[in-house]
Amino acid sequence: MVKEAMTKGQRLLTAIIPQEMAGMRLDQVLAAIFPEYSRARLQYWIRCGQIVVNDRQLRPRDKIQGGESVKVVATADEVTTWQAEPIPLDLIYEDDAIIVLNKPAGLVAHPGAGNHAGTLLNALLGYAPELKAVPRAGIVHRLDKDTSGLIVVARTLIAHKNLVEQLQARTLKREYETFVCGVMTAGGEVDAPVGRHPVHRTRMAVVDRGKPAVTHYRVIERFRAHTHIRVRLETGRTHQIRVHMAHIHHPIIGDPLYGGRLRLPKASSTELIEILRGFKRQALHAVQLGLQHPVTGVWQQWETPLPPDMSQLLNVLRSDSNIAG
């Protein structure tokens, strides 16, 4: 039985290791006794001296005899280099465990080279300072800078571990809407590995040695030279939808990396020409998010409409089709 106490703002966990676990590695035992924490985090705490067995510090690989007393000082690594900023957030849902928000296009997920401030992570720390105790301020999945839509944030370590496991198990539901070049005859599936481009290292590509990647899509509406589709991710590789759509010769409108040269339909209206030339980001929006709540276990799902720029694109595509028809 695990006992818990709070001391000096830290969570102190104690337990007696069952006899039936004799002969197992310490990190394996701890992962079974404290399932709310990842094995990697437990290994880190062992090495930092935050876990002791019979008041002795062991190594993750040391074998257990059974019956020992284990003490865990459960803390999170606070990242002090990331600064909180008062950036407005479009909140869709929140409780003590998670935050669901609608990320606008143009907002980088977290600080990196050339983006040390003004990111979603900085905004989250400004809104909920307790997120400094959660890895990456609770961001468990990313949207590209110029992709808009729904994203979930974990407010606690337990919620973070649970959501990461849902991502790994491919049970976290993510659906997108996008506009692609060319007229698709039907929906389908792209099952093609995605990895770093062998020449252009800032891009991804379908490559033999890439990681498995599966994208499902279905047609919502067809236009003269474009298609509005709904996309469901089975995996979550970097730039996956963008790469897969370009791979099947239906690149996303406005995609600066994978879109290729601008293609205008014959006899296009002035309005369509202007919006296609002026659309400088990939027309991709995370429209639906579904997950099993990390605390209650209840399935929850959210949906958000297309942002104004994509709604305008949709209206212009429809108008162009009507005029041509």
Side-chain angles (χ1 to χ4, degrees):
M1 178 183 295
V2 177
K3 295 182 179 180
E4 178 181 341
M6 295 296 295
T7 174
K8 297 180 180 180
Q10 297 176 328
R11 191 180 182 202
L12 178 62
L13 306 173
T14 58
I16 301 297
I17 299 176
Q19 290 289 347
E20 56 266 28
M21 290 186 172
M24 294 175 61
R25 287 172 52 119
L26 174 59
D27 56 356
Q28 292 176 322
V29 169
L30 294 175
I33 296 176
F34 307 106
E36 67 266 38
Y37 299 111
S38 68
R39 188 167 170 181
R41 179 166 291 274
L42 291 166
Q43 290 172 337
Y44 175 75
W45 285 341
I46 293 170
R47 296 188 182 98
C48 290
Q50 293 173 235
I51 297 179
V52 293
V53 178
N54 286 346
D55 295 321
R56 294 176 53 237
Q57 185 175 349
L58 302 180
R59 297 168 299 179
R61 68 174 182 269
D62 285 340
K63 298 298 178 62
I64 291 301
Q65 295 180 351
E68 297 96 329
S69 172
V70 59
K71 296 178 182 177
V72 179
V73 178
T75 60
D77 306 320
E78 295 189 1
V79 181
T80 58
T81 56
W82 293 335
Q83 300 299 316
E85 296 182 53
I87 300 171
L89 293 171
D90 182 6
L91 300 178
I92 303 299
Y93 172 86
E94 68 173 317
D95 59 27
D96 292 339
I98 60 174
I99 297 172
V100 176
L101 57 91
N102 186 18
K103 186 189 85 68
L107 183 63
V108 177
H110 56 76
N115 294 293
H116 300 293
T119 71
L120 175 60
L121 186 147
N122 300 112
L124 286 167
L125 292 178
Y127 177 74
E130 71 273 13
L131 289 174
K132 66 183 180 180
V134 185
R136 294 184 182 274
I139 299 173
V140 295
H141 67 112
R142 305 180 190 180
L143 292 177
D144 295 337
K145 174 186 175 183
D146 289 325
T147 298
S148 56
L150 295 173
I151 190 169
V152 63
V153 176
R155 297 188 93 148
T156 67
L157 285 174
I158 293 174
H160 185 273
K161 177 176 181 290
N162 181 278
L163 291 174
V164 168
E165 288 174 346
Q166 290 189 53
L167 275 169
Q168 293 172 341
R170 303 182 183 181
T171 58
L172 195 145
K173 182 180 180 182
R174 291 167 292 166
E175 293 197 359
Y176 298 72
E177 286 190 19
T178 185
F179 297 90
V180 299
C181 298
V183 181
M184 289 182 164
T185 57
E189 172 189 298
V190 184
D191 185 350
V194 172
R196 190 67 58 184
H197 194 288
V199 178
H200 305 289
R201 304 304 291 175
T202 58
R203 299 175 56 178
M204 307 300 286
V206 170
V207 292
D208 291 339
R209 296 186 178 181
K211 294 181 179 179
V214 181
T215 302
H216 305 271
Y217 62 93
R218 61 180 175 85
V219 173
I220 297 176
E221 189 172 357
R222 297 178 184 87
F223 310 103
R224 288 201 301 133
H226 301 89
T227 310
H228 181 194
I229 62 173
R230 182 99 167 198
V231 179
R232 178 173 61 84
L233 282 180
E234 189 172 315
T235 54
R237 309 305 176 199
T238 301
H239 298 176
Q240 179 175 317
I241 296 174
R242 300 164 64 187
V243 170
H244 273 175
M245 291 301 103
H247 179 67
I248 62 173
H249 309 295
H250 289 289
I252 294 175
I253 290 177
D255 194 327
L257 277 181
Y258 309 102
R261 65 178 181 84
L262 178 63
R263 286 166 283 187
L264 298 171
K266 292 181 179 180
S268 295
S269 65
T270 301
E271 190 178 22
L272 179 61
I273 293 172
E274 288 181 354
I275 197 167
L276 289 178
R277 284 179 173 168
F279 214 95
K280 300 301 184 183
R281 65 117 172 169
Q282 60 269 10
L284 182 61
H285 179 68
V287 69
Q288 189 179 89
L289 175 69
L291 54 87
Q292 189 176 47
H293 192 278
V295 176
T296 66
V298 174
W299 178 261
Q300 291 184 264
Q301 189 164 288
W302 302 269
E303 189 151 347
T304 183
L306 293 176
D309 61 344
M310 288 181 64
S311 292
Q312 182 187 20
L313 176 60
L314 172 60
N315 291 333
V316 172
L317 287 169
R318 283 173 174 167
S319 297
D320 176 78
S321 292
N322 292 334
I323 292 172

